[in-house]
Amino acid sequence: LIFPPHSRLNELTNECEGRFVTITEKILAEYSINVDVVCAPPIRIYRLLKNADVDFTINIKSTKALPKDIVFVDTPFSTLRLDLYTHKNTQLKKSVAAIRGFSYHGYRDKLTTQGYQFFDLPDSISAIQLFLKNRTSHLISYRSPVDFYIEEKKLNVKDDVSVSPLLDVPTYYAISGQSTHLKKLQVAFDDYASKH
């Protein structure tokens, strides 16, 4: 899924690239598995997984929008840091920019019960932009896309935005239960993890 800097669409080549893509291609090449990468917003990837139009993705286990028959590889792939960003001098009501389909490890429900209104966007960059344009008082996001966007745009937000770390979340390869390649992918990922 589009999740810069780890996986993003190169606007010049229209190819999906990033560290997560490169690592995954390297792992599967060792098992003679070629990868055709699809770069799309999370909610679209979840729909494609449901019908096995996409075989797998990298995700956290608590995402409610994932198909019910998704199969997670046991070994974590990476760790993401989840943060809540807040405009220091906001006059806005409790509003949160977020990615559609992300439950944020239960924090969406917690914040909703505390009276926060969610504004759901298709991907992390859209949510970050909405927040930075002062359209919401808060942003819930994994740290790496925010750091990437701020660095890429050369923004200085330290004086205006406070960051509250929420938790570190492991990610995993998540394979469609409908995929004809389910067992082959499981064996490859498990074997690679045991060796490395």
Side-chain angles (χ1 to χ4, degrees), residues 30-185:
E30 288 193 23
Y31 300 88
S32 301
I33 299 172
N34 293 323
V35 181
D36 290 324
V37 183
V38 175
C39 234
I43 205 73
R44 179 159 173 246
I45 294 293
Y46 302 152
R47 280 193 221 112
L48 293 170
L49 283 165
K50 186 173 184 179
N51 301 321
D53 293 325
V54 164
D55 293 296
F56 69 93
T57 189
I58 298 167
N59 216 295
I60 63 171
K61 289 186 175 182
S62 66
T63 303
K64 292 177 184 174
L66 281 167
K68 300 296 178 229
D69 63 350
I70 205 84
V71 177
F72 287 98
V73 172
D74 290 334
T75 305
F77 174 78
S78 68
T79 302
L80 299 176
R81 177 153 291 147
L82 181 64
D83 294 325
L84 184 66
Y85 298 82
T86 307
H87 286 294
K88 291 179 181 174
N89 298 317
T90 187
Q91 303 299 317
L92 298 170
K93 293 183 178 167
K94 294 159 105 175
S95 54
V96 183
I99 300 173
R100 185 177 300 115
F102 277 30
S103 51
Y104 296 103
H105 232 63
Y107 275 94
R108 178 183 289 272
D109 291 341
K110 288 177 189 172
L111 291 169
T112 300
T113 58
Q114 293 172 18
Y116 286 84
Q117 180 183 1
F118 273 75
F119 288 84
D120 289 323
L121 285 299
D123 55 52
S124 60
I125 298 302
S126 302
I128 293 163
Q129 289 171 334
L130 188 75
F131 171 72
L132 291 177
K133 289 177 183 173
N134 282 302
R135 300 278 171 81
T136 62
S137 60
H138 296 77
L139 165 71
I140 190 165
S141 179
Y142 296 100
R143 183 171 294 176
S144 47
V146 176
D147 288 351
F148 170 78
Y149 185 81
I150 288 170
E151 186 176 311
E152 183 185 61
K153 300 295 182 187
K154 297 180 179 15
L155 302 174
N156 182 4
V157 299
K158 288 185 173 127
D159 294 339
D160 305 320
V161 175
S162 64
V163 182
S164 302
L166 299 177
L167 75 157
D168 290 343
V169 185
T171 66
Y172 300 85
Y173 283 111
I175 308 169
S176 168
Q178 303 300 312
S179 172
T180 55
H181 308 292
L182 171 61
K183 292 293 178 216
K184 186 177 183 181
L185 288 166

